């Protein structure tokens, strides 16, 4: 059975979707990765394009696209039970499609180093040295959108 068969990915357009996105981010970043709560949510959430992946009514993954200076994908989070099933790739594809629709030619992101290969498989390339953000090793990456 296709692991993505019953997964819907959409741009957030309701309060329920946004609350689902925040719940996934809380579970992944604050609970699992010990990111301080005051760092996880920020003012960029108000103007970002958010996407969610859901199975039925349950949000299982999320990501956002911000446009302060450069177009940056961030807060990519998938619940542990749903990892390694292509959900992050679906979220990336949805945000890249939205970026193209908005006329954006390139997106960047700060990849946690343990998932750098995931982003490389989706066409992202390292653009600078590794660094630590919120106590987690990251590497800057970008991708030209075709």
């Amino acid at each position: 059975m296709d692991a993505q068969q019953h997964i819907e990915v959409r741009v957030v357009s309701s309060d329920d979707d946004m609350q689902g996105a925040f719940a996934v981010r809380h579970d992944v970043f604050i609970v699992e990765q010990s990111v301080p709560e005051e760092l996880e949510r920020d003012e960029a959430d108000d103007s970002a394009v958010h996407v969610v992946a859901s199975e039925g009514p349950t949000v299982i993954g999320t990501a956002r696209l911000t446009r302060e200076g450069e177009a940056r994908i961030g807060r990519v989070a998938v619940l542990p039970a749903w990892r390694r099933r292509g959900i992050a790739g679906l979220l990336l594809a949805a945000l890249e499609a939205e970026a193209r629709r908005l006329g954006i030619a390139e997106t960047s992101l700060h990849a946690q180093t343990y998932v750098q290969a995931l982003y490389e498989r989706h066409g992202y390339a390292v653009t600078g040295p590794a660094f630590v953000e919120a106590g987690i090793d990251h590497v800057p990456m970008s991708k030209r959108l075709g």
Side-chain angles (χ1 to χ4, degrees):
M1 175 162 50
D2 181 358
Q4 298 175 358
Q5 185 174 354
H6 301 289
I7 305 303
E8 179 189 0
V9 178
R10 63 187 173 277
V11 173
V12 169
S13 62
S14 72
D15 187 56
D16 284 348
D17 277 352
M18 195 71 251
Q19 292 312 309
F22 286 146
V24 168
R25 285 170 42 180
H26 180 272
D27 289 353
V28 171
F29 297 124
I30 296 170
V31 176
E32 181 184 340
Q33 296 182 347
S34 300
V35 171
E37 194 162 355
E38 63 273 11
L39 296 180
E40 200 290 306
R41 284 169 98 172
D42 60 24
E43 64 282 346
D45 280 324
D46 295 336
S47 59
V49 174
H50 298 265
V51 293
V52 292
S54 63
E55 182 192 45
T58 305
V59 174
I60 60 171
T62 188
R64 74 178 189 184
L65 175 70
T66 58
R67 295 181 68 185
E68 282 108 36
E70 61 185 345
R72 179 174 294 161
I73 291 174
R75 303 302 198 273
V76 179
V78 176
L79 293 176
W82 290 93
R83 292 183 189 152
R84 301 198 180 283
R85 298 187 193 192
I87 308 300
L90 294 173
L91 293 165
L92 285 173
L95 283 180
E96 290 168 3
E98 189 64 15
R100 285 185 196 93
R101 189 186 71 73
L102 295 169
I104 296 169
E106 182 175 3
T107 56
S108 67
L109 53 83
H110 292 166
Q112 293 183 3
T113 54
Y114 86 97
V115 289
Q116 177 180 337
L118 162 77
Y119 295 105
E120 289 172 340
R121 284 193 303 275
H122 290 278
Y124 287 82
V126 174
T127 58
F131 61 94
V132 176
E133 184 173 58
I136 300 168
D137 292 334
H138 285 75
V139 63
M141 303 182 84
S142 69
K143 177 181 179 177
R144 297 278 310 157
L145 302 176

